[in-house]
Amino acid sequence: MKIILLVILFVTLFSQGYSTGSTSCKGRCDEKYNSQNMCHCNSKCSQYDNCCSDYEALCNGLSCQGRCGETYNSQNKCHCNIKCGDYNNCCSDYTSLCGSSGGGDGGSDITDAEIKSMSEALYALDSNKPSASELIIDSQARVPDSQTSSQNDLSPRPLFQFLDEASLFSKPSYAAFMALLDNYERNTGITEDFTPQQLAEQDTFLREAMSNTELGRELYAFLFTKGRYSSEEEFLHDLKMMWFGLYSRYAGKMDSSGFEHIFAGEIKGGKISGFHNWLQFYRLEKQGLIDYYSHSFDGPWTSYPDVLGMQFMWGGYFKQVGSSIIGCSPEFDLAVYSLCYITRPGKQCKLSLGGKPLVIQTYTWDKSSYGNGKKYIGSAFPATP
């Protein structure tokens, strides 16, 4: 009888607003204010600085409690599905509650074997790459890794001995790519300012490289089947933001992008930054603006594309090791870097080209973002031993 009376008393007191002494918002979100409570779980507690410690997580949409595997909702402040790691917008307790990195490796649902298979498909489809008669290089001096910083010009001749411009530059993807290379100010700290024509050139390149080549369509089809994109329009828009979206590398100026850094090259802190494209190297060497010194790495391929790790001087600035895929089409360069960045952002990406391994190192730009927290590409290049 006493137990029954105590239970009745407890229920009565609780219904009248007496506190149970809880310091958690579990089961209390949006409760009415009760002065007896030790902390609170309603919309005004932040204003009065008396929220329970787990209020933001449990009541303000910042926890995955009960939300693991949910469908994406743009209204949510953080997310709890397998793609949240790719977009860097997982709730802080996603891993502990949902038992997964949520794609934090940039594509946990896409295996290394699938990436290697896809890279072989892209390699086989690169029909616009130069032949041995269309491109002739003279790699000359090779130096050990211990001498890459010596700044000794050991190669008296240019790297590029011959390129059949008439054959290659008439191809739409080459023409569109070359049109982009003179659109940039190489020094960081100076805001990039594009004309309407230059902005249109970005769209033209993406269209010619991705939509109008079998190679580009193959990449999209793969990413579509893996659930990365729901339409070609979404795919192209993401590529444009990822590659051409501006961010600041120095002094708060909108002075850089993934495309500029990787394909055109930049100068930062008195050094060459980025610069991992063979066509830009050819273009500047032909103009007398680049002096090829030596190479420290030469890939195992006996036909194009190949990989070189080079030492060179660009307008008074030295690059200790600049690695590039040599003798590929612009769409191949864009496709393999995009494949690696989308599936392995900020990590090493293991490819296979003609049965031989190639590792692409990618870096995310973490200081700003686009869309729903997606990260711009910071850098990508062949990792040379």
Side-chain angles (χ1 to χ4, degrees):
M1 185 67 176
K2 289 182 179 180
I3 294 175
I4 295 175
L5 288 174
L6 287 172
V7 171
I8 293 173
L9 178 62
F10 176 81
V11 171
T12 301
L13 290 172
F14 186 79
S15 65
Q16 290 177 354
Y18 290 89
S19 171
T20 61
S22 174
T23 59
S24 172
C25 283
K26 187 174 183 179
R28 297 172 54 199
C29 294
D30 297 322
E31 68 179 2
K32 291 183 179 180
Y33 174 75
N34 185 333
S35 62
Q36 302 300 313
N37 289 341
M38 298 179 65
C39 58
H40 302 275
C41 306
N42 55 56
S43 59
K44 290 188 176 181
C45 67
S46 297
Q47 177 182 345
Y48 291 94
D49 195 27
N50 58 9
C51 298
C52 295
S53 60
D54 56 5
Y55 171 75
E56 285 292 333
L58 294 182
C59 303
N60 215 15
L62 297 181
S63 173
C64 285
Q65 185 74 41
R67 296 171 56 198
C68 293
E70 67 180 3
T71 302
Y72 174 76
N73 184 336
S74 62
Q75 301 302 311
N76 291 341
K77 295 182 178 180
C78 62
H79 303 276
C80 305
N81 56 59
I82 196 167
K83 291 187 178 181
C84 66
D86 298 327
Y87 292 84
N88 193 33
N89 58 13
C90 297
C91 297
S92 59
D93 56 3
Y94 176 77
T95 299
S96 60
L97 292 181
C98 303
S100 168
S101 63
D105 63 356
S108 57
D109 58 327
I110 298 179
T111 66
D112 285 350
E114 288 174 318
I115 294 173
K116 288 181 179 179
S117 177
M118 188 64 229
S119 63
E120 285 288 6
L122 297 176
Y123 179 79
L125 289 171
D126 192 13
S127 58
N128 283 335
K129 67 182 178 182
S131 66
S133 63
E134 290 174 320
L135 171 60
I136 300 173
I137 66 171
D138 182 6
S139 56
Q140 302 169 78
R142 181 167 183 170
V143 298
D145 292 340
S146 60
Q147 295 181 23
T148 57
S149 62
S150 62
Q151 300 193 29
N152 292 325
D153 186 356
L154 302 176
S155 300
R157 298 177 300 279
L159 172 65
F160 289 94
Q161 295 298 298
F162 174 75
L163 182 68
D164 191 340
E165 293 188 14
S167 173
L168 294 174
F169 290 0
S170 62
K171 298 176 186 291
S173 63
Y174 280 83
F177 180 78
M178 299 301 289
L180 291 168
L181 295 178
D182 62 356
N183 291 349
Y184 294 96
E185 164 55 58
R186 70 173 185 169
N187 293 295
T188 58
I190 301 176
T191 300
E192 296 290 356
D193 185 17
F194 301 117
T195 66
Q197 177 181 340
Q198 290 171 334
L199 292 173
E201 289 171 353
Q202 297 173 4
D203 294 321
T204 299
F205 172 62
L206 290 175
R207 182 177 65 252
E208 294 297 347
M210 294 290 103
S211 299
N212 294 347
T213 65
E214 189 176 358
L215 184 156
R217 292 190 293 268
E218 182 74 11
L219 175 63
Y220 166 66
F222 172 74
L223 295 171
F224 174 81
T225 60
K226 302 305 293 185
R228 283 296 187 272
Y229 301 101
S230 58
S231 68
E232 185 182 13
E233 180 182 9
E234 180 189 5
F235 172 58
L236 292 176
H237 176 72
D238 193 42
L239 288 183
K240 183 169 184 179
M241 294 303 300
M242 179 193 308
W243 281 102
F244 293 102
L246 292 174
Y247 49 81
S248 175
R249 287 189 187 268
Y250 183 73
K253 305 292 185 180
M254 301 301 281
D255 58 359
S256 185
S257 68
F259 183 91
E260 178 181 5
H261 179 82
I262 296 166
F263 292 121
E266 300 176 298
I267 302 299
K268 181 182 179 182
K271 296 181 180 180
I272 299 172
S273 181
F275 201 133
H276 302 288
N277 179 256
W278 74 275
L279 285 167
Q280 173 72 327
F281 197 108
Y282 166 80
R283 170 179 169 268
L284 295 174
E285 188 178 57
K286 182 181 178 181
Q287 296 175 11
L289 300 176
I290 275 187
D291 187 359
Y292 171 71
Y293 279 15
S294 58
H295 69 285
S296 53
F297 177 83
D298 189 353
W301 297 272
T302 56
S303 61
Y304 298 124
D306 198 357
V307 174
L308 280 181
M310 302 168 288
Q311 293 72 52
F312 58 93
M313 192 72 74
W314 178 22
Y317 299 96
F318 181 68
K319 182 74 173 182
Q320 182 173 345
V321 181
S323 59
S324 298
I325 303 175
I326 306 292
C328 65
S329 68
E331 56 265 32
F332 181 84
D333 241 352
L334 181 69
V336 294
Y337 289 145
S338 297
L339 170 66
C340 285
Y341 187 71
I342 292 167
T343 61
R344 297 292 186 268
K347 294 182 178 293
Q348 289 197 338
C349 175
K350 299 174 182 178
L351 306 181
S352 178
L353 305 181
K356 297 178 175 63
L358 172 65
V359 175
I360 299 295
Q361 175 69 57
T362 71
Y363 289 97
T364 60
W365 182 257
D366 296 330
K367 297 180 182 179
S368 57
S369 61
Y370 67 94
N372 293 305
K374 299 192 74 172
K375 296 179 180 179
Y376 298 104
I377 183 167
S379 191
F381 52 87
T384 56

